[in-house]
Amino acid sequence: MIILLNKNQLASAKKFYIDYLVAKIPPYALFSAKKNGTTITGYLSGKVLFQGTNAETEGAALSKFFGLKSSETATTPPLANLSLLGSDEVGNGSYFGPLVVVATFAEEKMLPTLRKLGVKDSKMLKDPEIKEIAQQLMTILPYKTLVVTPKKYNEYQQKFNAVEMKVLFHHHVLTQLAKELPVKPAATLVDAFTTKASLTKYSKTHNLTWPQPFYFVEKGEQQHLAVAAASMIARKLFLDYLEQDGASLGLPLPSGAGAKSDLVAAEILRQGGLDLLGEHAKLHFANTQKAEKLM
């Protein structure tokens, strides 16, 4: 939960939590406090962030103190101009090829450069453009990748469902990159691939702690260039893998999960059966059964 305050109100909010203040505060913050299982952080921008089990209750109490209306609070603050850690994945909907998860860190000072390069939601660009821009991004941005090959994906799929896997993979690249950064990001943003309830469920199951402040929102590529950059790098790595894998197999591997994938899968089955197909495709897709029928 977020409450927006002016400069004077922010100073008063610090006094409001005088008995609960903690010594360590994040960058760009005026204060941080812990009360009733909730962490309250007041940023110099005027945003007061509530995180924890009683976030809504604490947020309502401070709102009441200042006489704020509900319309003056928000669940997600403006993020576009912050130094932000973001992640996205590509390949989830493709039968062939890997699942690629990428995290990037885009500092505020780098945002004009990213805009000039043409970084945006990868769905708005053609693949050749994405590959060209992504190649440049990989030389100027800190990033961390996880390329889950089809063979490894199929092994994970025996233990975890698709959403659970992505929770684990996003957490891995984000936390690994966060450890290597010389500065703490102002926030972390993940492009939402499931409901917040599912994210919370699997985070608890695997005891995962996400870099804070943490946001999980739909169309994350449009919220911040860090997520858009992660999406573009992931798309490039996915396409490169698909091309190289197809070349080694002697068959062009299509992206997606359409009828072309069924035909190619049927040919792979003819050449080496399900074991060979499992090295190149995500076997739990319905394409596997369709290819077997084509056989």
Side-chain angles (χ1 to χ4, degrees), residues 3-105:
I3 290 177
L4 305 177
L5 303 177
N6 60 38
K7 186 176 181 179
N8 292 332
Q9 289 174 327
L10 189 64
S12 296
K14 182 177 180 179
K15 294 179 180 178
F16 184 83
Y17 291 109
I18 192 70
D19 294 330
Y20 305 95
L21 296 177
V22 297
K24 188 176 181 179
I25 63 174
Y28 313 108
L30 176 65
F31 71 88
S32 185
K34 290 190 176 181
K35 180 184 178 185
N36 296 334
T38 300
T39 299
I40 305 101
T41 307
Y43 288 92
L44 296 173
S45 62
K47 304 178 186 71
V48 181
L49 172 66
F50 298 83
Q51 297 168 295
T53 54
N54 294 296
E56 295 293 331
T57 300
E58 289 300 322
L62 189 62
S63 295
K64 184 177 181 180
F65 176 76
F66 287 112
L68 299 177
K69 299 177 182 179
S70 58
S71 61
E72 296 176 81
T73 64
T75 55
T76 304
L79 300 172
N81 295 314
L82 298 179
S83 295
L84 192 138
L85 180 64
S87 67
D88 202 356
E89 87 280 340
V90 170
N92 179 64
S94 181
Y95 181 56
F96 291 110
L99 174 64
V100 183
V101 187
V102 175
T104 69
F105 176 55

Side-chain angles (χ1 to χ4, degrees), residues 209-263:
T209 300
W210 299 84
Q212 300 291 327
F214 177 78
Y215 302 100
F216 188 70
V217 299
E218 295 181 358
K219 299 182 179 178
E221 310 101 311
Q222 299 176 20
Q223 297 288 332
H224 198 280
L225 294 179
V227 179
S231 175
M232 296 180 81
I233 293 173
R235 181 67 179 171
K236 170 188 162 42
L237 295 176
F238 170 80
L239 292 171
D240 288 348
Y241 184 101
L242 205 62
E243 182 179 344
Q244 294 165 12
D245 196 34
S248 68
L249 188 62
L251 288 169
L253 299 178
S255 177
K260 289 183 179 179
S261 296
D262 301 339
L263 293 172

Side-chain angles (χ1 to χ4, degrees), residues 58-279:
E58 289 300 322
L62 189 62
S63 295
K64 184 177 181 180
F65 176 76
F66 287 112
L68 299 177
K69 299 177 182 179
S70 58
S71 61
E72 296 176 81
T73 64
T75 55
T76 304
L79 300 172
N81 295 314
L82 298 179
S83 295
L84 192 138
L85 180 64
S87 67
D88 202 356
E89 87 280 340
V90 170
N92 179 64
S94 181
Y95 181 56
F96 291 110
L99 174 64
V100 183
V101 187
V102 175
T104 69
F105 176 55
E107 289 190 81
E108 181 181 355
K109 64 183 180 181
M110 286 296 298
L111 298 180
T113 300
L114 300 185
R115 294 188 185 100
K116 187 175 181 180
L117 284 175
V119 177
K120 61 180 70 175
D121 184 348
S122 61
K123 299 180 186 66
M124 302 169 64
L125 297 169
K126 296 181 180 179
D127 286 341
E129 295 176 291
I130 293 172
K131 294 179 73 171
E132 181 179 349
I133 296 172
Q135 187 64 51
Q136 298 178 69
L137 294 175
M138 294 167 74
T139 66
I140 62 175
L141 287 182
Y143 69 95
K144 189 67 69 174
T145 69
L146 183 62
V147 180
V148 185
T149 66
K151 183 177 181 179
K152 183 61 70 173
Y153 180 97
N154 291 327
E155 292 175 5
Y156 279 117
Q157 203 271 329
Q158 299 300 313
K159 302 177 183 178
F160 313 112
N161 64 47
V163 171
E164 190 173 8
M165 280 193 284
K166 284 191 280 186
V167 170
L168 292 168
F169 297 156
H170 276 268
H171 180 267
H172 175 77
V173 293
L174 286 168
T175 54
Q176 290 300 307
L177 181 56
K179 291 177 183 178
E180 299 176 2
L181 297 177
V183 297
K184 186 179 185 300
T188 300
L189 175 64
V190 176
D191 185 44
F193 49 81
T194 186
T195 64
K196 289 184 179 180
S198 291
L199 177 74
T200 300
K201 171 186 174 182
Y202 293 122
S203 294
K204 289 182 177 179
T205 298
H206 296 282
N207 196 29
L208 305 179
T209 300
W210 299 84
Q212 300 291 327
F214 177 78
Y215 302 100
F216 188 70
V217 299
E218 295 181 358
K219 299 182 179 178
E221 310 101 311
Q222 299 176 20
Q223 297 288 332
H224 198 280
L225 294 179
V227 179
S231 175
M232 296 180 81
I233 293 173
R235 181 67 179 171
K236 170 188 162 42
L237 295 176
F238 170 80
L239 292 171
D240 288 348
Y241 184 101
L242 205 62
E243 182 179 344
Q244 294 165 12
D245 196 34
S248 68
L249 188 62
L251 288 169
L253 299 178
S255 177
K260 289 183 179 179
S261 296
D262 301 339
L263 293 172
V264 174
E267 178 58 31
I268 296 174
L269 284 172
R270 291 189 186 96
Q271 292 184 12
L274 202 59
D275 287 342
L276 181 62
L277 182 60
E279 294 180 7

